[in-house]
PDB file of all heavy atoms in Angstrom:
ATOM      1  N   ALA A 416      -6.777-160.549 -48.106  1.00 98.00           N
ATOM      2  CA  ALA A 416      -6.929-161.798 -48.859  1.00 98.00           C
ATOM      3  C   ALA A 416      -8.400-162.180 -49.033  1.00 98.00           C
ATOM      4  O   ALA A 416      -8.774-162.818 -50.026  1.00 98.00           O
ATOM      5  CB  ALA A 416      -6.165-162.922 -48.153  1.00 98.00           C
ATOM      6  N   SER A 417      -9.237-161.738 -48.096  1.00 98.00           N
ATOM      7  CA  SER A 417     -10.656-162.105 -48.185  1.00 98.00           C
ATOM      8  C   SER A 417     -11.322-161.475 -49.411  1.00 98.00           C
ATOM      9  O   SER A 417     -12.399-161.894 -49.830  1.00 98.00           O
ATOM     10  CB  SER A 417     -11.398-161.700 -46.909  1.00 98.00           C
ATOM     11  OG  SER A 417     -11.661-160.311 -46.909  1.00 98.00           O
ATOM     12  N   TYR A 418     -10.679-160.454 -50.004  1.00 98.00           N
ATOM     13  CA  TYR A 418     -11.237-159.817 -51.207  1.00 98.00           C
ATOM     14  C   TYR A 418     -10.767-160.497 -52.496  1.00 98.00           C
ATOM     15  O   TYR A 418     -11.175-160.129 -53.584  1.00 98.00           O
ATOM     16  CB  TYR A 418     -10.857-158.332 -51.246  1.00 98.00           C
ATOM     17  CG  TYR A 418     -11.560-157.534 -50.174  1.00 98.00           C
ATOM     18  CD1 TYR A 418     -10.977-157.331 -48.925  1.00 98.00           C
ATOM     19  CD2 TYR A 418     -12.833-157.014 -50.397  1.00 98.00           C
ATOM     20  CE1 TYR A 418     -11.629-156.619 -47.934  1.00 98.00           C
ATOM     21  CE2 TYR A 418     -13.497-156.295 -49.414  1.00 98.00           C
ATOM     22  CZ  TYR A 418     -12.884-156.102 -48.185  1.00 98.00           C
ATOM     23  OH  TYR A 418     -13.547-155.398 -47.210  1.00 98.00           O
ATOM     24  N   VAL A 419      -9.845-161.463 -52.336  1.00 98.00           N
ATOM     25  CA  VAL A 419      -9.336-162.166 -53.520  1.00 98.00           C
ATOM     26  C   VAL A 419      -9.519-163.673 -53.322  1.00 98.00           C
ATOM     27  O   VAL A 419      -8.556-164.419 -53.154  1.00 98.00           O
ATOM     28  CB  VAL A 419      -7.847-161.815 -53.762  1.00 98.00           C
ATOM     29  CG1 VAL A 419      -7.397-162.323 -55.131  1.00 98.00           C
ATOM     30  CG2 VAL A 419      -7.605-160.314 -53.667  1.00 98.00           C
ATOM     31  N   PRO A 420     -10.770-164.145 -53.333  1.00 97.00           N
ATOM     32  CA  PRO A 420     -11.008-165.579 -53.161  1.00 97.00           C
ATOM     33  C   PRO A 420     -10.551-166.343 -54.409  1.00 97.00           C
ATOM     34  O   PRO A 420     -10.202-165.741 -55.431  1.00 97.00           O
ATOM     35  CB  PRO A 420     -12.536-165.658 -53.000  1.00 97.00           C
ATOM     36  CG  PRO A 420     -13.067-164.432 -53.678  1.00 97.00           C
ATOM     37  CD  PRO A 420     -12.007-163.381 -53.517  1.00 97.00           C
ATOM     38  N   GLU A 421     -10.563-167.653 -54.321  1.00 96.00           N
ATOM     39  CA  GLU A 421     -10.151-168.538 -55.426  1.00 96.00           C
ATOM     40  C   GLU A 421     -10.727-168.123 -56.776  1.00 96.00           C
ATOM     41  O   GLU A 421     -10.029-168.112 -57.783  1.00 96.00           O
ATOM     42  CB  GLU A 421     -10.634-169.973 -55.123  1.00 96.00           C
ATOM     43  CG  GLU A 421      -9.777-170.708 -54.114  1.00 96.00           C
ATOM     44  CD  GLU A 421      -8.400-171.011 -54.670  1.00 96.00           C
ATOM     45  OE1 GLU A 421      -8.336-171.579 -55.781  1.00 96.00           O
ATOM     46  OE2 GLU A 421      -7.396-170.670 -53.999  1.00 96.00           O
ATOM     47  N   ASP A 422     -12.014-167.767 -56.776  1.00 96.00           N
ATOM     48  CA  ASP A 422     -12.693-167.505 -58.059  1.00 96.00           C
ATOM     49  C   ASP A 422     -12.687-166.012 -58.427  1.00 96.00           C
ATOM     50  O   ASP A 422     -13.440-165.578 -59.286  1.00 96.00           O
ATOM     51  CB  ASP A 422     -14.130-168.025 -58.000  1.00 96.00           C
ATOM     52  CG  ASP A 422     -14.931-167.392 -56.866  1.00 96.00           C
ATOM     53  OD1 ASP A 422     -14.322-166.702 -56.012  1.00 96.00           O
ATOM     54  OD2 ASP A 422     -16.166-167.568 -56.844  1.00 96.00           O
ATOM     55  N   ALA A 423     -11.828-165.232 -57.789  1.00 98.00           N
ATOM     56  CA  ALA A 423     -11.778-163.801 -58.109  1.00 98.00           C
ATOM     57  C   ALA A 423     -11.234-163.607 -59.533  1.00 98.00           C
ATOM     58  O   ALA A 423     -10.391-164.388 -59.975  1.00 98.00           O
ATOM     59  CB  ALA A 423     -10.875-163.079 -57.105  1.00 98.00           C
ATOM     60  N   PRO A 424     -11.701-162.577 -60.245  1.00 98.00           N
ATOM     61  CA  PRO A 424     -11.231-162.342 -61.620  1.00 98.00           C
ATOM     62  C   PRO A 424      -9.870-161.666 -61.655  1.00 98.00           C
ATOM     63  O   PRO A 424      -9.750-160.506 -62.033  1.00 98.00           O
ATOM     64  CB  PRO A 424     -12.327-161.434 -62.191  1.00 98.00           C
ATOM     65  CG  PRO A 424     -12.854-160.691 -61.009  1.00 98.00           C
ATOM     66  CD  PRO A 424     -12.734-161.612 -59.832  1.00 98.00           C
ATOM     67  N   VAL A 425      -8.837-162.430 -61.254  1.00 98.00           N
ATOM     68  CA  VAL A 425      -7.483-161.843 -61.209  1.00 98.00           C
ATOM     69  C   VAL A 425      -6.951-161.701 -62.632  1.00 98.00           C
ATOM     70  O   VAL A 425      -6.770-162.689 -63.337  1.00 98.00           O
ATOM     71  CB  VAL A 425      -6.533-162.719 -60.369  1.00 98.00           C
ATOM     72  CG1 VAL A 425      -5.103-162.170 -60.432  1.00 98.00           C
ATOM     73  CG2 VAL A 425      -7.014-162.796 -58.923  1.00 98.00           C
ATOM     74  N   ALA A 426      -6.728-160.459 -63.069  1.00 98.00           N
ATOM     75  CA  ALA A 426      -6.237-160.202 -64.425  1.00 98.00           C
ATOM     76  C   ALA A 426      -4.723-160.042 -64.427  1.00 98.00           C
ATOM     77  O   ALA A 426      -4.056-160.437 -65.381  1.00 98.00           O
ATOM     78  CB  ALA A 426      -6.907-158.955 -64.992  1.00 98.00           C
ATOM     79  N   ILE A 427      -4.195-159.456 -63.368  1.00 98.00           N
ATOM     80  CA  ILE A 427      -2.745-159.241 -63.269  1.00 98.00           C
ATOM     81  C   ILE A 427      -2.328-159.494 -61.819  1.00 98.00           C
ATOM     82  O   ILE A 427      -3.015-159.056 -60.892  1.00 98.00           O
ATOM     83  CB  ILE A 427      -2.358-157.787 -63.645  1.00 98.00           C
ATOM     84  CG1 ILE A 427      -2.976-157.372 -64.988  1.00 98.00           C
ATOM     85  CG2 ILE A 427      -0.846-157.606 -63.655  1.00 98.00           C
ATOM     86  CD1 ILE A 427      -2.825-155.883 -65.308  1.00 98.00           C
ATOM     87  N   ARG A 428      -1.220-160.185 -61.674  1.00 98.00           N
ATOM     88  CA  ARG A 428      -0.700-160.389 -60.308  1.00 98.00           C
ATOM     89  C   ARG A 428       0.807-160.184 -60.338  1.00 98.00           C
ATOM     90  O   ARG A 428       1.506-160.781 -61.159  1.00 98.00           O
ATOM     91  CB  ARG A 428      -1.041-161.803 -59.824  1.00 98.00           C
ATOM     92  CG  ARG A 428      -0.580-162.079 -58.411  1.00 98.00           C
ATOM     93  CD  ARG A 428      -1.045-163.440 -57.913  1.00 98.00           C
ATOM     94  NE  ARG A 428      -2.325-163.358 -57.226  1.00 98.00           N
ATOM     95  CZ  ARG A 428      -3.255-164.310 -57.243  1.00 98.00           C
ATOM     96  NH1 ARG A 428      -3.079-165.395 -57.970  1.00 98.00           N
ATOM     97  NH2 ARG A 428      -4.366-164.174 -56.571  1.00 98.00           N
TER      98      ARG A 428
END
Side-chain angles (χ1 to χ4, degrees):
S417 78
Y418 291 92
V419 191
E421 282 292 309
D422 58 350
V425 175
I427 309 171
R428 182 175 269 147

